[in-house]
Amino acid sequence: MPSPSQLLAPKRIYFEPAVLGFERGREILARFADAERVEVQSHTRIPQLYGDSASAEDWLRLKRDVLVLGVKKGLQMRPNGRSADFIAPSSSNGCAMACSYCYVPRRKGYANPISVFVNVGQVIAAIRKHAAATGPKAAPNQVDPRAWVYDLGENGDLSVDALVSDNVRDLVAAFRDLPHAKGSFATKFVNRDLLRYDPQGRTRVRFSLMPAEMAKLVDVRTSPMDERIRAINDFVEAGYEVHANFSPVVVHEGWQAEWRRLFAEIDDALTPAAKAQLKCEVIMLTHNEGLHDLNMSWHPKAETFLWRPDIQEEKRSENGMANVRYRHGWKRQWLDQLLGWMGETMPYCGVRYAF
């Protein structure tokens, strides 16, 4: 597993002027006092980072060496209905990891280092206001039987963000006293500092899991799969609700045996307490031609498995982007197969959604 210093060691910090007016901004700058500081007018307009695909070879270096600090402007909640009931305003954008299928760089440009928003207090206040106005959940749904669930990390990985600041600790603490709400985020990084955050069952961590053979190729700079699986027990014991995010499912020669082994490994590793609360979501791979072209500049081996025109078809996403997915008839068969294998090995694991 990459150490925190290997994953993130900022040498340059781009920051908006307003950052200095927030205690969290000053804390982060003091934490990385040796880093060069570069003032920018907007965290979204940094020509040195965004939009220059010719510099794709610098992808990994920039993720380690660069940090961006900004102020979150939009504080609205968005309905979701899959991983969560609502998408909360992000406390960050971007990631120090470099999964080759990640959708965020499709919109943000090639580099996509972590941008941390220092006004987390305003984010929390917006969540509290929305939760109070929404009130109790009237009926169970596939997201959660009792609580409204807010996704806290749509465009990043909060376990890595916690290496930068106390934003994540503050978010976890905020949900302890929201009686009708839970926080939720997916992660590929095992940060054991989070075990001390005392979530009291009000934060759901979704560990992203896939066969280790594929993860070594496409989950770049992430925690090894066996480490993620073992962490489930520890996070449950620490008071988190822990689900599995089987994503993405990459179809290739031999994929069936790999997934069967993964389900057996999980079943062998989990404690009774972890099994009793486990649920999952399953997401088959979608890809994008622009991301494929970019990946060919720095990680072409992964594209051998991700870019498969022989078994993929175009799919127009909700935001209008032209993606590719597995051909409809085959995808349904493969998904049903996968769910069948999981049901045989892990009958206790409920499926919240699969597509």
Side-chain angles (χ1 to χ4, degrees):
M1 183 171 70
S3 67
S5 61
Q6 291 173 321
L7 197 61
L8 184 66
K11 296 179 180 178
R12 176 177 296 174
I13 298 177
Y14 296 95
F15 68 99
E16 296 175 343
V19 162
L20 298 175
F22 290 85
E23 182 179 358
R24 183 55 40 84
R26 296 190 295 272
E27 289 174 358
I28 296 172
L29 289 169
R31 178 176 295 190
F32 303 106
D34 293 336
E36 176 191 3
R37 301 182 185 184
V38 180
E39 184 174 312
V40 294
Q41 291 306 304
S42 171
H43 68 87
T44 63
R45 294 192 296 273
I46 306 176
Q48 301 95 312
L49 296 181
Y50 305 145
D52 181 8
S53 59
S55 299
E57 63 272 13
D58 289 335
W59 183 303
L60 301 184
R61 179 185 60 79
L62 288 171
K63 283 177 171 289
R64 183 190 67 239
D65 293 353
V66 170
L67 179 63
V68 180
L69 302 181
V71 176
K72 180 68 174 176
K73 308 302 191 295
L75 298 175
Q76 296 77 26
M77 312 294 149
R78 300 193 339 262
N80 181 249
R82 284 184 169 170
S83 294
D85 294 294
F86 304 104
I87 305 296
S90 299
S91 59
S92 69
N93 190 300
C95 187
M97 297 181 286
C99 300
S100 55
Y101 50 81
C102 181
Y103 67 89
V104 177
R106 303 177 192 179
R107 297 198 300 264
K108 193 179 175 187
Y110 77 92
N112 199 36
I114 296 176
S115 298
V116 171
F117 302 128
V118 299
N119 56 328
V120 68
Q122 294 175 353
V123 171
I124 291 171
I127 294 172
R128 288 186 182 279
K129 181 179 179 180
H130 185 273
T134 305
K137 194 175 217 176
N141 63 10
Q142 63 87 15
V143 177
D144 192 87
R146 290 174 294 277
W148 295 111
V149 178
Y150 291 78
D151 193 306
L152 306 175
E154 181 186 28
N155 294 319
D157 191 307
L158 267 63
S159 295
V160 180
D161 294 350
L163 301 174
V164 177
S165 76
D166 285 336
N167 276 4
V168 181
R169 184 190 295 271
D170 292 347
L171 287 163
V172 171
F175 278 92
R176 292 189 205 126
D177 60 359
L178 287 175
H180 310 301
K182 286 181 183 176
S184 178
F185 63 92
T187 184
K188 302 182 182 74
F189 182 69
V190 178
N191 183 346
R192 294 187 173 275
D193 288 345
L194 273 64
L195 297 174
R196 301 193 293 269
Y197 286 8
D198 189 25
Q200 299 180 16
R202 308 308 300 171
T203 296
R204 174 185 296 168
V205 177
R206 309 187 322 270
F207 277 104
S208 295
L209 305 176
M210 68 167 64
E213 300 90 338
M214 182 57 61
K216 289 177 181 177
L217 181 64
V218 300
D219 272 13
V220 181
R221 308 184 85 221
T222 63
S223 296
M225 202 55 53
D226 59 348
E227 179 72 10
R228 299 185 215 175
I229 294 171
R230 291 196 305 270
I232 293 175
N233 295 329
D234 298 329
F235 274 71
V236 169
E237 186 176 355
Y240 290 92
E241 182 181 42
V242 182
H243 288 185
N245 180 1
F246 295 118
S247 169
V249 178
V250 180
V251 174
H252 64 98
E253 290 70 16
W255 73 285
Q256 299 96 330
E258 292 177 359
W259 278 95
R260 284 178 175 271
R261 284 196 297 271
L262 174 65
F263 294 144
E265 290 167 8
I266 296 170
D267 183 61
D268 289 342
L270 296 192
T271 63
K275 290 179 180 179
Q277 57 85 67
L278 187 68
K279 290 183 174 59
C280 74
E281 51 200 53
V282 183
I283 306 173
M284 303 288 285
L285 172 73
T286 63
H287 202 23
N288 175 277
E289 185 172 4
L291 184 60
H292 163 69
D293 292 341
L294 177 60
N295 285 348
M296 292 299 292
S297 301
W298 75 281
H299 196 17
K301 188 175 180 180
E303 289 303 299
T304 303
F305 296 89
L306 301 179
W307 187 255
R308 291 289 303 270
D310 56 322
I311 57 175
Q312 292 169 331
E313 63 184 5
E314 184 173 308
K315 173 184 181 290
R316 185 68 58 174
S317 68
E318 293 179 359
N319 60 14
M321 297 186 70
N323 298 329
V324 294
R325 66 177 180 186
Y326 297 121
R327 296 182 185 179
H328 180 72
W330 295 350
K331 177 184 174 182
R332 185 70 256 176
Q333 293 180 41
W334 292 332
L335 182 57
D336 288 344
Q337 284 181 334
L338 186 77
L339 294 175
W341 304 329
M342 186 175 65
E344 293 171 4
T345 309
M346 302 166 55
Y348 46 82
C349 182
V351 180
R352 291 196 297 103
Y353 73 93
F355 70 94

